[in-house]
Amino acid sequence: MRPGISTKLQPLLHHHASLPNSAGASRRDFLVRCGGGFGAVALTGLLSRAARSESLKPFNQTTVIDSVNPLLARHPHFAPRAKRVIFLFMYGGPSHVDTFDYKPTLLEQNGEPVPESFKQQATGDGAVATIEHCKDELFASPWRFSQHGQSGLWVSDLFPHLARRVDDLCLIKSLHCDSSNHAPATFQMNTGAVLDGKPSMGAWITYGLGTLNENLPGYVLLFDVGGYGGAGNWGSAFLSGAFQGTRFRDRGVPVLNLTPPEQFAHVQRSTIDFIQKLNLKHRITRPELLDLDARIASYELAYRMQTSALNVGDLGDEPSHVLESYGINNQDQTMASYGRKCLMARRLVERGVRFVQVYNGIDGYGWDAHGGGKLAIDKNHAAVARQTDQPIAALLADLKQRGLLDETLVVWAGEFGRTPMMQGDKGRNHSPMGFTVWLAGGGVKSGFPYGTTDDIGLMAEKNPVSVSQLHATILTALGLNPDQLFFEHNGRPERLTGVAGSAKPVMDLFA
Amino acid sequence: MPALLWQLARFDLIAIRQLINQPLVATPNDFGYSGTKPTHPDLLDWLAVEFMHPNNGTRPWSIKHMQRSIVLSAVYRQGQGEVPAPGQDAPLPSGTTAASPLTESSLQNTSTDPDNRLIGRRLPQRLDAETLRDAMLSVAGSLQLSDHGSPVWPHISDTAKGINPKVLNADAGDGLSGWYTTMPNEKSNVRSLFTIQKRSLKLPMLALFDQPDANRSCARRFNTTVAPQALLLLNSEFAAETANRFANRVAREAGVEPADRVDTAFRTALARLPDEEERKVCLQLLQTHTVRHTRENIAAPDLAALIDLCRVLMNTNEFLYVD
């Protein structure tokens, strides 16, 4: 590391609220003058207005994240194609050869041994483990594939609803990742690194762009079980905790501690006012510490969140045909639950939340169809597809109908795909070497396939895309330069796309 | 010098940061080429040598000895160098004395060393997660100081357990995968140090106030200030119960006279008496809230108002930030 760079990046260290900085000196002086003593007006409006004018600059090397309101909207580096992201995380690893990647060869050679040429091609730890843990037997998809829409993209019968929206999808059929184990691959898809301990994509994006609604967190998660590896997948690691994912629930009160205990309900506002009164007096003699301003501001946000977050969770104001379309009234409770999450995702992005992540699954398996009983591919994938297909199709249609799809990038991805070889009884193993994910909306091409796997669907062949390139593409859609979005940590400029900063976006995916 | 690095790092972390909240090296995980340079290299050397060969004859490698040396130092006892607002004298709450007189040099420090890297004054320091929980229990009079031997499982609500539903559902009878609240509840009011640290589910309060991930080493904690923290201190079951106990304690110790209650509440929570102005507005709060509780037909409306005041005090910046 060159010392020169280190010095240049130094201002970024200020982003942590615990490190006092001098950037707000004039604002503080002003507040000291006008906010002195009791009887002062609530100053949070003033604070956020003053801070807002400072924040309307693109994120760059001298950006100082405002400690009073770290989530204030910041300009992207260049004109964005998308303003927000809905990430539909398909944990467990959905099979590409049973969903979007049609392989006639598998049908022709069903039950035959894997040709030697494919075995030799597959190198690396993940590849060897993947092949060794399978039978030497190609396994054709139990589902029929057909072409849909004007684009004529292939979709299997697993996704009857999504097949009707295929003209909205931008399929990346040549993604590859670096691990064939759930937790590392899940970490990689969410944080860019196979090891735990890096900030998640949602944290990076809210760090770079802030959020568009000051009454809600910038990064919201919806899940029942969450992915393998747990909170490391939505944490903020060395970035400020303000950027980490906040979990909303799809039933009842969406956030913990949102409603005051009954004994305080009728005095909540006057109690908060009184706290602020004491806090304003306290801060006069401690003008240096911006944390104190931040705490004062946080009580106002907390008060507003009590209403705004509750409101997000109240699906009662949605017309019945919308509830119906998302499957929320369906007898299948797993579909109803996933439908509520998808509908809440729309309600959240509609209100300006920057990054929403929805996990499938009500058990610990997700798409993890290793074979045998309910984990045979025909049982497991049929169940998870049924749970997610209609709600996801409804989400795309709903976003489009409201004019939100143009500025919302929808990402559908698991941690890896599944092998074209059989594992156990009608199962498939994890396959990291080539699988399908899709994007929709947010300025990407629609009805567009990109890249291919080989004839049996084992390895990415044409135009392979790495996870870092996928991340670089998502950042680029949001107007962020992946190389310029960094945080100086332990002497290295950390990025979502890695310290080397060499991952390039796939520009062919953009319309 | 390289042989001392490990000790130096320990000092930076344990002693200086915890006690003075100002690291002598801003990158405590990195004393190498890409780390920042120490602000006080001679002091670091002295601390390392003192750690290994204490000059007063105490046993070497004694962290307690080092902590004592630090808290007895002039640096530790500095005041924050209070800056008067324009046109005002620096106000000091009555019944207290300034931590240190406002000196010309400390005033200069605020402009020449805004980040206080040279530790020319003391900046207020937020209680860390564990200390905050301990302080709330202590103020409420419910902190159990006895040693409980094995770690204690504090009560957390089912909604909070829902953060990791596996904990909710798992009861394999192995004593490992679920959450096994220590009964009765009062027994779990021990210092946070003695509470169980479950990797898959942190105590919501500690997690929210930036307790680091126990799976990794943490060189330096960073404080965040986010709205869910305010929601927790305002609305959580723990905060409500603590406020109730605190108020009952104040009522017990101060009697029925409102002014005595205000004084006792301030002294208990903030270690000082209110000034005249504060006492006045607090009495007004007690009065107006008593009226509002009466209107809502709440039993013991004056106690309910005292609970409100106690809730306020535990939410103040002064409670969370130690000068």
Side-chain angles (χ1 to χ4, degrees), chain A residues 283-457:
Chain A
R283 73 176 294 294
I284 301 171
T285 50
R286 292 157 187 84
E288 276 194 83
L289 211 61
L290 284 179
D291 292 21
L292 301 179
D293 297 347
R295 270 203 98 240
I296 291 169
S298 76
Y299 274 79
E300 292 306 320
L301 173 56
Y303 186 75
R304 295 197 303 270
M305 258 177 77
Q306 292 185 149
T307 324
S308 51
L310 258 188
N311 179 271
V312 169
D314 182 12
L315 305 184
D317 59 7
E318 295 285 343
S320 60
H321 72 269
V322 169
L323 299 175
E324 200 63 41
S325 71
Y326 279 87
I328 288 169
N329 299 327
N330 201 285
Q331 286 186 332
D332 179 346
Q333 282 308 308
T334 67
M335 188 202 293
S337 153
Y338 193 74
R340 277 196 304 273
K341 292 181 183 66
C342 286
L343 178 54
M344 275 186 70
R346 189 219 82 209
R347 292 169 65 91
L348 287 161
V349 296
E350 198 174 35
R351 284 161 173 77
V353 173
R354 189 69 78 175
F355 195 94
V356 182
Q357 192 169 22
V358 185
Y359 282 76
N360 66 289
I362 45 146
D363 58 22
Y365 296 107
W367 294 92
D368 202 16
H370 282 288
K374 67 173 188 174
L375 290 183
I377 197 98
D378 52 355
K379 298 273 188 336
N380 164 280
H381 270 39
V384 190
R386 209 181 113 69
Q387 175 203 337
T388 56
D389 178 37
Q390 183 183 330
I392 292 175
L395 173 65
L396 291 175
D398 197 10
L399 288 171
K400 197 168 192 175
Q401 192 258 328
R402 287 163 190 265
L404 288 167
L405 190 59
D406 292 343
E407 292 188 333
T408 306
L409 183 66
V410 183
V411 182
W412 181 98
E415 64 266 44
F416 35 54
R418 304 201 82 82
T419 55
M421 297 84 77
M422 185 183 289
Q423 185 185 43
D425 177 23
K426 288 201 241 165
R428 298 189 191 277
N429 196 12
H430 312 155
S431 188
M433 296 162 289
F435 58 102
T436 303
V437 303
W438 57 254
L439 309 174
V444 297
K445 287 177 183 159
S446 46
F448 179 72
Y450 184 83
T452 61
T453 50
D454 56 33
D455 281 349
I456 60 170

Side-chain angles (χ1 to χ4, degrees), chain A residues 187-225:
Chain A
F187 285 140
Q188 189 180 21
M189 189 55 79
N190 282 295
T191 73
V194 290
L195 295 176
D196 186 13
K198 295 291 166 83
S200 54
M201 177 169 25
W204 278 113
I205 288 170
T206 38
Y207 167 63
L209 294 177
T211 185
L212 299 165
N213 182 341
E214 292 169 28
N215 301 340
L216 289 168
Y219 172 14
V220 174
L221 289 136
L222 295 150
F223 64 80
D224 285 325
V225 178

Side-chain angles (χ1 to χ4, degrees), chain B residues 114-129:
Chain B
D115 291 350
N116 196 27
R117 285 173 53 80
L118 298 176
I119 323 182
R121 61 194 186 283
R122 186 184 175 83
L123 294 174
Q125 180 179 353
R126 198 192 81 190
L127 299 179
D128 57 26

